[in-house]
mmCIF file of all heavy atoms in Angstrom:
data_model
loop_
_atom_site.group_PDB
_atom_site.id
_atom_site.type_symbol
_atom_site.label_atom_id
_atom_site.label_comp_id
_atom_site.label_asym_id
_atom_site.label_seq_id
_atom_site.Cartn_x
_atom_site.Cartn_y
_atom_site.Cartn_z
ATOM 1 N N ALA F 7 -12.917 5.765 -4.531
ATOM 2 C CA ALA F 7 -12.911 6.952 -5.400
ATOM 3 C C ALA F 7 -11.594 7.711 -5.297
ATOM 4 O O ALA F 7 -11.025 8.130 -6.320
ATOM 5 C CB ALA F 7 -14.088 7.862 -5.052
ATOM 6 N N ALA F 8 -11.103 7.884 -4.066
ATOM 7 C CA ALA F 8 -9.823 8.574 -3.883
ATOM 8 C C ALA F 8 -8.683 7.754 -4.479
ATOM 9 O O ALA F 8 -7.763 8.305 -5.099
ATOM 10 C CB ALA F 8 -9.574 8.833 -2.396
ATOM 11 N N PHE F 9 -8.747 6.443 -4.300
ATOM 12 C CA PHE F 9 -7.737 5.558 -4.894
ATOM 13 C C PHE F 9 -7.743 5.693 -6.415
ATOM 14 O O PHE F 9 -6.688 5.809 -7.051
ATOM 15 C CB PHE F 9 -8.006 4.119 -4.469
ATOM 16 C CG PHE F 9 -7.070 3.106 -5.064
ATOM 17 C CD1 PHE F 9 -5.796 2.937 -4.560
ATOM 18 C CD2 PHE F 9 -7.466 2.319 -6.150
ATOM 19 C CE1 PHE F 9 -4.919 2.000 -5.114
ATOM 20 C CE2 PHE F 9 -6.606 1.384 -6.707
ATOM 21 C CZ PHE F 9 -5.332 1.223 -6.181
ATOM 22 N N GLU F 10 -8.920 5.706 -7.005
ATOM 23 C CA GLU F 10 -9.023 5.826 -8.455
ATOM 24 C C GLU F 10 -8.420 7.143 -8.941
ATOM 25 O O GLU F 10 -7.730 7.183 -9.963
ATOM 26 C CB GLU F 10 -10.482 5.719 -8.902
ATOM 27 C CG GLU F 10 -10.646 5.883 -10.403
ATOM 28 C CD GLU F 10 -12.052 5.581 -10.905
ATOM 29 O OE1 GLU F 10 -12.930 5.286 -10.080
ATOM 30 O OE2 GLU F 10 -12.265 5.644 -12.134
ATOM 31 N N ASN F 11 -8.662 8.217 -8.225
ATOM 32 C CA ASN F 11 -8.111 9.507 -8.630
ATOM 33 C C ASN F 11 -6.588 9.480 -8.609
ATOM 34 O O ASN F 11 -5.927 10.026 -9.515
ATOM 35 C CB ASN F 11 -8.637 10.613 -7.718
ATOM 36 C CG ASN F 11 -8.309 11.992 -8.239
ATOM 37 O OD1 ASN F 11 -8.670 12.359 -9.351
ATOM 38 N ND2 ASN F 11 -7.588 12.763 -7.428
ATOM 39 N N GLU F 12 -6.012 8.825 -7.595
ATOM 40 C CA GLU F 12 -4.556 8.728 -7.515
ATOM 41 C C GLU F 12 -3.999 7.872 -8.649
ATOM 42 O O GLU F 12 -2.968 8.201 -9.247
ATOM 43 C CB GLU F 12 -4.137 8.181 -6.149
ATOM 44 C CG GLU F 12 -4.389 9.163 -5.019
ATOM 45 C CD GLU F 12 -3.957 8.637 -3.660
ATOM 46 O OE1 GLU F 12 -3.332 7.557 -3.603
ATOM 47 O OE2 GLU F 12 -4.242 9.307 -2.651
ATOM 48 N N VAL F 13 -4.668 6.769 -8.959
ATOM 49 C CA VAL F 13 -4.233 5.916 -10.058
ATOM 50 C C VAL F 13 -4.290 6.693 -11.377
ATOM 51 O O VAL F 13 -3.360 6.656 -12.190
ATOM 52 C CB VAL F 13 -5.107 4.649 -10.142
ATOM 53 C CG1 VAL F 13 -4.821 3.868 -11.433
ATOM 54 C CG2 VAL F 13 -4.875 3.757 -8.924
ATOM 55 N N LYS F 14 -5.395 7.412 -11.595
ATOM 56 C CA LYS F 14 -5.575 8.181 -12.829
ATOM 57 C C LYS F 14 -4.469 9.220 -12.995
ATOM 58 O O LYS F 14 -3.878 9.360 -14.078
ATOM 59 C CB LYS F 14 -6.942 8.855 -12.825
ATOM 60 C CG LYS F 14 -7.256 9.642 -14.092
ATOM 61 C CD LYS F 14 -8.684 10.158 -14.085
ATOM 62 C CE LYS F 14 -8.885 11.216 -13.012
ATOM 63 N NZ LYS F 14 -10.239 11.846 -13.128
ATOM 64 N N ASN F 15 -4.157 9.953 -11.930
ATOM 65 C CA ASN F 15 -3.128 10.982 -12.018
ATOM 66 C C ASN F 15 -1.739 10.375 -12.192
ATOM 67 O O ASN F 15 -0.900 10.915 -12.931
ATOM 68 C CB ASN F 15 -3.175 11.870 -10.783
ATOM 69 C CG ASN F 15 -4.376 12.801 -10.789
ATOM 70 O OD1 ASN F 15 -4.906 13.134 -11.851
ATOM 71 N ND2 ASN F 15 -4.826 13.213 -9.619
ATOM 72 N N ALA F 16 -1.490 9.254 -11.520
ATOM 73 C CA ALA F 16 -0.194 8.592 -11.676
ATOM 74 C C ALA F 16 -0.011 8.117 -13.111
ATOM 75 O O ALA F 16 1.074 8.246 -13.700
ATOM 76 C CB ALA F 16 -0.092 7.421 -10.709
ATOM 77 N N ARG F 17 -1.070 7.596 -13.698
ATOM 78 C CA ARG F 17 -0.998 7.139 -15.076
ATOM 79 C C ARG F 17 -0.769 8.316 -16.019
ATOM 80 O O ARG F 17 -0.010 8.217 -16.990
ATOM 81 C CB ARG F 17 -2.289 6.403 -15.465
ATOM 82 C CG ARG F 17 -2.210 5.702 -16.825
ATOM 83 C CD ARG F 17 -3.551 5.090 -17.175
ATOM 84 N NE ARG F 17 -3.477 4.165 -18.305
ATOM 85 C CZ ARG F 17 -3.496 4.519 -19.578
ATOM 86 N NH1 ARG F 17 -3.559 5.803 -19.898
ATOM 87 N NH2 ARG F 17 -3.431 3.607 -20.529
ATOM 88 N N GLU F 18 -1.415 9.419 -15.755
ATOM 89 C CA GLU F 18 -1.208 10.611 -16.577
ATOM 90 C C GLU F 18 0.254 11.051 -16.520
ATOM 91 O O GLU F 18 0.794 11.554 -17.506
ATOM 92 C CB GLU F 18 -2.116 11.740 -16.102
ATOM 93 C CG GLU F 18 -1.903 13.075 -16.798
ATOM 94 C CD GLU F 18 -2.262 13.035 -18.282
ATOM 95 O OE1 GLU F 18 -2.953 12.091 -18.736
ATOM 96 O OE2 GLU F 18 -1.847 13.966 -19.001
ATOM 97 N N ALA F 19 0.912 10.853 -15.378
ATOM 98 C CA ALA F 19 2.327 11.216 -15.248
ATOM 99 C C ALA F 19 3.250 10.231 -15.954
ATOM 100 O O ALA F 19 4.439 10.508 -16.120
ATOM 101 C CB ALA F 19 2.703 11.302 -13.771
ATOM 102 N N GLY F 20 2.701 9.082 -16.353
ATOM 103 C CA GLY F 20 3.512 8.089 -17.050
ATOM 104 C C GLY F 20 3.874 6.885 -16.223
ATOM 105 O O GLY F 20 4.703 6.067 -16.646
ATOM 106 N N ALA F 21 3.285 6.755 -15.028
ATOM 107 C CA ALA F 21 3.585 5.602 -14.177
ATOM 108 C C ALA F 21 2.801 4.387 -14.660
ATOM 109 O O ALA F 21 1.577 4.413 -14.707
ATOM 110 C CB ALA F 21 3.239 5.907 -12.721
ATOM 111 N N GLN F 22 3.502 3.343 -15.003
ATOM 112 C CA GLN F 22 2.881 2.080 -15.378
ATOM 113 C C GLN F 22 2.699 1.172 -14.173
ATOM 114 O O GLN F 22 1.902 0.241 -14.204
ATOM 115 C CB GLN F 22 3.745 1.339 -16.393
ATOM 116 C CG GLN F 22 3.860 1.992 -17.749
ATOM 117 C CD GLN F 22 4.812 1.210 -18.617
ATOM 118 O OE1 GLN F 22 6.021 1.376 -18.520
ATOM 119 N NE2 GLN F 22 4.278 0.342 -19.449
ATOM 120 N N ILE F 23 3.507 1.422 -13.132
ATOM 121 C CA ILE F 23 3.558 0.542 -11.964
ATOM 122 C C ILE F 23 3.426 1.385 -10.712
ATOM 123 O O ILE F 23 4.063 2.438 -10.571
ATOM 124 C CB ILE F 23 4.887 -0.242 -11.936
ATOM 125 C CG1 ILE F 23 4.963 -1.194 -13.141
ATOM 126 C CG2 ILE F 23 5.045 -1.023 -10.631
ATOM 127 C CD1 ILE F 23 6.313 -1.811 -13.354
ATOM 128 N N LEU F 24 2.596 0.905 -9.797
ATOM 129 C CA LEU F 24 2.407 1.556 -8.506
ATOM 130 C C LEU F 24 2.765 0.570 -7.403
ATOM 131 O O LEU F 24 2.153 -0.487 -7.294
ATOM 132 C CB LEU F 24 0.957 2.013 -8.339
ATOM 133 C CG LEU F 24 0.437 2.996 -9.387
ATOM 134 C CD1 LEU F 24 -1.054 3.233 -9.189
ATOM 135 C CD2 LEU F 24 1.202 4.309 -9.311
ATOM 136 N N ARG F 25 3.742 0.927 -6.610
ATOM 137 C CA ARG F 25 4.122 0.088 -5.466
ATOM 138 C C ARG F 25 3.201 0.383 -4.303
ATOM 139 O O ARG F 25 2.771 1.515 -4.078
ATOM 140 C CB ARG F 25 5.576 0.362 -5.109
ATOM 141 C CG ARG F 25 6.049 -0.164 -3.757
ATOM 142 C CD ARG F 25 6.010 0.927 -2.719
ATOM 143 N NE ARG F 25 6.544 0.517 -1.420
ATOM 144 C CZ ARG F 25 6.452 1.259 -0.319
ATOM 145 N NH1 ARG F 25 5.845 2.439 -0.355
ATOM 146 N NH2 ARG F 25 6.956 0.839 0.823
ATOM 147 N N THR F 26 2.864 -0.654 -3.530
ATOM 148 C CA THR F 26 2.044 -0.463 -2.343
ATOM 149 C C THR F 26 2.509 -1.381 -1.233
ATOM 150 O O THR F 26 3.318 -2.297 -1.459
ATOM 151 C CB THR F 26 0.550 -0.706 -2.653
ATOM 152 O OG1 THR F 26 -0.236 -0.187 -1.587
ATOM 153 C CG2 THR F 26 0.249 -2.189 -2.826
ATOM 154 N N VAL F 27 2.014 -1.142 -0.029
ATOM 155 C CA VAL F 27 2.255 -2.028 1.111
ATOM 156 C C VAL F 27 0.913 -2.347 1.752
ATOM 157 O O VAL F 27 -0.020 -1.549 1.693
ATOM 158 C CB VAL F 27 3.205 -1.409 2.152
ATOM 159 C CG1 VAL F 27 4.570 -1.142 1.551
ATOM 160 C CG2 VAL F 27 2.632 -0.127 2.744
ATOM 161 N N CYS F 28 0.839 -3.520 2.344
ATOM 162 C CA CYS F 28 -0.385 -3.902 3.063
ATOM 163 C C CYS F 28 -0.314 -3.497 4.528
ATOM 164 O O CYS F 28 -1.351 -3.305 5.173
ATOM 165 C CB CYS F 28 -0.622 -5.401 2.937
ATOM 166 S SG CYS F 28 -1.019 -5.916 1.250
ATOM 167 N N SER F 29 0.882 -3.384 5.065
ATOM 168 C CA SER F 29 1.066 -2.925 6.443
ATOM 169 C C SER F 29 2.120 -1.834 6.460
ATOM 170 O O SER F 29 3.176 -1.976 5.839
ATOM 171 C CB SER F 29 1.513 -4.072 7.355
ATOM 172 O OG SER F 29 1.894 -3.588 8.635
ATOM 173 N N GLY F 30 1.841 -0.761 7.173
ATOM 174 C CA GLY F 30 2.807 0.329 7.265
ATOM 175 C C GLY F 30 3.899 0.072 8.281
ATOM 176 O O GLY F 30 4.848 0.847 8.380
ATOM 177 N N GLY F 31 3.785 -1.027 9.046
ATOM 178 C CA GLY F 31 4.768 -1.311 10.086
ATOM 179 C C GLY F 31 5.367 -2.689 9.938
ATOM 180 O O GLY F 31 5.013 -3.452 9.040
ATOM 181 N N ARG F 32 6.296 -3.003 10.836
ATOM 182 C CA ARG F 32 6.966 -4.300 10.813
ATOM 183 C C ARG F 32 6.140 -5.318 11.588
ATOM 184 O O ARG F 32 5.659 -5.038 12.679
ATOM 185 C CB ARG F 32 8.366 -4.151 11.412
ATOM 186 C CG ARG F 32 9.188 -3.089 10.684
ATOM 187 C CD ARG F 32 10.512 -2.760 11.362
ATOM 188 N NE ARG F 32 11.064 -1.571 10.728
ATOM 189 C CZ ARG F 32 11.258 -0.409 11.334
ATOM 190 N NH1 ARG F 32 10.964 -0.272 12.633
ATOM 191 N NH2 ARG F 32 11.733 0.619 10.676
ATOM 192 N N ARG F 33 6.020 -6.482 11.022
ATOM 193 C CA ARG F 33 5.137 -7.524 11.549
ATOM 194 C C ARG F 33 5.331 -7.765 13.041
ATOM 195 O O ARG F 33 4.373 -7.841 13.813
ATOM 196 C CB ARG F 33 5.415 -8.818 10.773
ATOM 197 C CG ARG F 33 4.670 -10.046 11.242
ATOM 198 C CD ARG F 33 4.921 -11.171 10.265
ATOM 199 N NE ARG F 33 4.258 -12.405 10.588
ATOM 200 C CZ ARG F 33 4.040 -13.367 9.711
ATOM 201 N NH1 ARG F 33 4.438 -13.228 8.463
ATOM 202 N NH2 ARG F 33 3.439 -14.488 10.073
ATOM 203 N N TYR F 34 6.571 -7.870 13.466
ATOM 204 C CA TYR F 34 6.892 -8.228 14.853
ATOM 205 C C TYR F 34 6.726 -7.046 15.809
ATOM 206 O O TYR F 34 6.826 -7.223 17.017
ATOM 207 C CB TYR F 34 8.316 -8.792 14.938
ATOM 208 C CG TYR F 34 9.329 -7.988 14.148
ATOM 209 C CD1 TYR F 34 10.001 -6.907 14.697
ATOM 210 C CD2 TYR F 34 9.583 -8.313 12.810
ATOM 211 C CE1 TYR F 34 10.896 -6.172 13.957
ATOM 212 C CE2 TYR F 34 10.485 -7.574 12.064
ATOM 213 C CZ TYR F 34 11.145 -6.509 12.636
ATOM 214 O OH TYR F 34 12.035 -5.761 11.897
ATOM 215 N N GLU F 35 6.474 -5.869 15.273
ATOM 216 C CA GLU F 35 6.208 -4.696 16.107
ATOM 217 C C GLU F 35 4.730 -4.322 16.126
ATOM 218 O O GLU F 35 4.233 -3.787 17.119
ATOM 219 C CB GLU F 35 7.029 -3.499 15.606
ATOM 220 C CG GLU F 35 8.526 -3.682 15.740
ATOM 221 C CD GLU F 35 9.335 -2.571 15.101
ATOM 222 O OE1 GLU F 35 8.753 -1.732 14.377
ATOM 223 O OE2 GLU F 35 10.562 -2.540 15.301
ATOM 224 N N VAL F 36 4.021 -4.620 15.028
ATOM 225 C CA VAL F 36 2.625 -4.192 14.878
ATOM 226 C C VAL F 36 1.643 -5.230 15.405
ATOM 227 O O VAL F 36 0.636 -4.884 16.045
ATOM 228 C CB VAL F 36 2.325 -3.882 13.401
ATOM 229 C CG1 VAL F 36 0.838 -3.599 13.192
ATOM 230 C CG2 VAL F 36 3.166 -2.698 12.927
ATOM 231 N N PHE F 37 1.924 -6.498 15.147
ATOM 232 C CA PHE F 37 0.969 -7.567 15.478
ATOM 233 C C PHE F 37 1.488 -8.383 16.668
ATOM 234 O O PHE F 37 2.657 -8.777 16.689
ATOM 235 C CB PHE F 37 0.753 -8.480 14.268
ATOM 236 C CG PHE F 37 0.342 -7.735 13.037
ATOM 237 C CD1 PHE F 37 1.209 -7.627 11.951
ATOM 238 C CD2 PHE F 37 -0.897 -7.119 12.949
ATOM 239 C CE1 PHE F 37 0.853 -6.932 10.812
ATOM 240 C CE2 PHE F 37 -1.271 -6.417 11.810
ATOM 241 C CZ PHE F 37 -0.395 -6.317 10.747
ATOM 242 N N HIS F 38 0.590 -8.649 17.612
ATOM 243 C CA HIS F 38 1.021 -9.294 18.859
ATOM 244 C C HIS F 38 0.305 -10.606 19.134
ATOM 245 O O HIS F 38 0.382 -11.141 20.234
ATOM 246 C CB HIS F 38 0.828 -8.326 20.023
ATOM 247 C CG HIS F 38 1.555 -7.031 19.831
ATOM 248 N ND1 HIS F 38 2.935 -6.926 19.885
ATOM 249 C CD2 HIS F 38 1.103 -5.779 19.535
ATOM 250 C CE1 HIS F 38 3.298 -5.677 19.657
ATOM 251 N NE2 HIS F 38 2.200 -4.958 19.434
ATOM 252 N N SER F 39 -0.381 -11.121 18.110
ATOM 253 C CA SER F 39 -1.021 -12.424 18.247
ATOM 254 C C SER F 39 -1.243 -13.003 16.859
ATOM 255 O O SER F 39 -1.286 -12.263 15.856
ATOM 256 C CB SER F 39 -2.366 -12.311 18.967
ATOM 257 O OG SER F 39 -3.306 -11.633 18.157
ATOM 258 N N ALA F 40 -1.397 -14.321 16.792
ATOM 259 C CA ALA F 40 -1.689 -14.962 15.515
ATOM 260 C C ALA F 40 -3.008 -14.468 14.946
ATOM 261 O O ALA F 40 -3.146 -14.276 13.738
ATOM 262 C CB ALA F 40 -1.715 -16.478 15.705
ATOM 263 N N ALA F 41 -3.985 -14.245 15.832
ATOM 264 C CA ALA F 41 -5.298 -13.772 15.373
ATOM 265 C C ALA F 41 -5.184 -12.394 14.726
ATOM 266 O O ALA F 41 -5.832 -12.126 13.706
ATOM 267 C CB ALA F 41 -6.271 -13.727 16.539
ATOM 268 N N ALA F 42 -4.372 -11.515 15.304
ATOM 269 C CA ALA F 42 -4.197 -10.170 14.740
ATOM 270 C C ALA F 42 -3.588 -10.249 13.348
ATOM 271 O O ALA F 42 -3.986 -9.511 12.434
ATOM 272 C CB ALA F 42 -3.333 -9.321 15.655
ATOM 273 N N PHE F 43 -2.642 -11.158 13.164
ATOM 274 C CA PHE F 43 -2.029 -11.277 11.838
ATOM 275 C C PHE F 43 -3.005 -11.885 10.836
ATOM 276 O O PHE F 43 -3.031 -11.489 9.671
ATOM 277 C CB PHE F 43 -0.742 -12.093 11.900
ATOM 278 C CG PHE F 43 0.022 -12.057 10.610
ATOM 279 C CD1 PHE F 43 0.672 -10.904 10.207
ATOM 280 C CD2 PHE F 43 0.062 -13.158 9.773
ATOM 281 C CE1 PHE F 43 1.362 -10.841 9.002
ATOM 282 C CE2 PHE F 43 0.746 -13.125 8.564
ATOM 283 C CZ PHE F 43 1.402 -11.960 8.185
#
């Protein structure tokens, strides 16, 4: 629901494209095993 509200407002502002990331950190700093990745 919160995601939808952000998408709706971004579209109202004229944004056709929304960039995102799946991880907020760098792979070699955040994950310490193959299982974690």
Side-chain angles (χ1 to χ4, degrees):
F9 177 78
E10 178 172 3
N11 191 58
E12 290 181 7
V13 170
K14 182 174 67 173
N15 287 335
R17 189 184 193 277
E18 175 65 16
Q22 293 176 278
I23 295 169
L24 301 173
R25 166 262 184 189
T26 195
V27 298
C28 293
S29 171
R32 304 172 191 116
R33 176 173 180 161
Y34 45 88
E35 295 173 350
V36 173
F37 306 111
H38 303 290
S39 69
F43 189 71

